[in-house]
Amino acid sequence: MEAYIIDLDHFRPDNSRVLSSRPWGVAARDRSGIDEALESDKIIEIHIPSDIVGITPSYLQEFLENAVVKLGSHNFSNRVRFISGGKYQIEHDLDEAMSRILKAENTFAY
C-alpha cells in the first residue's frame, strides 16, 4: 500500500533540534496535509529528522489532534507510523499527547 509521507524536517523553525509549542504544531498540521491524508486509505508515515532530540507533547497534540479524534487510539496506531532517523524515541511524548487529546475529546462530549 502506498504511504502518505510527512517529513517533519519541513516543519521546524531554523533547523531546531526540538519541535515544540502549540502554534508550531498547528502550522505543521496545516502545512503537512495530514488532515487531507486521513480521507484516503493510505498509511501515514511521519519521518523524524535524525538530529531531532525531542518533540513536546504540546506540539504533537496540535499536530495530531484531528487524526487522533477521527481515528481513535487503536486505528491511529494502525494508520500512522513514525520513522525516526536518529536516537529520539517518540513513544512517551506521543502517549502523553494522545492522552491529552482523548481526555479533552471526552470532556467536550458531555
Side-chain angles (χ1 to χ4, degrees), residues 43-110:
I43 296 295
I44 299 169
E45 283 186 8
I46 300 174
H47 293 208
I48 302 169
S50 61
D51 62 339
I52 290 291
V53 297
I55 305 175
T56 64
S58 60
Y59 179 98
L60 290 169
Q61 184 177 354
E62 294 300 331
F63 176 48
L64 301 172
E65 180 175 29
N66 296 340
V68 173
V69 169
K70 180 177 178 76
L71 299 173
S73 60
H74 178 71
N75 288 331
F76 178 88
S77 298
N78 290 332
R79 283 273 315 273
V80 181
R81 299 192 180 131
F82 292 87
I83 299 172
S84 179
K87 294 180 181 180
Y88 173 68
Q89 300 294 313
I90 195 169
E91 289 79 13
H92 177 72
D93 296 321
L94 179 60
D95 288 346
E96 176 65 25
M98 288 181 65
S99 176
R100 291 178 187 180
I101 292 166
L102 294 170
K103 182 178 179 182
E105 180 68 12
N106 287 333
T107 299
F108 294 126
Y110 295 101

Side-chain angles (χ1 to χ4, degrees), residues 21-32 58-59 62-63 65:
S21 87
R22 292 177 187 272
W24 282 107
V26 170
R29 182 182 66 218
D30 292 344
R31 292 179 40 220
S32 70
S58 60
Y59 179 98
E62 294 300 331
F63 176 48
E65 180 175 29

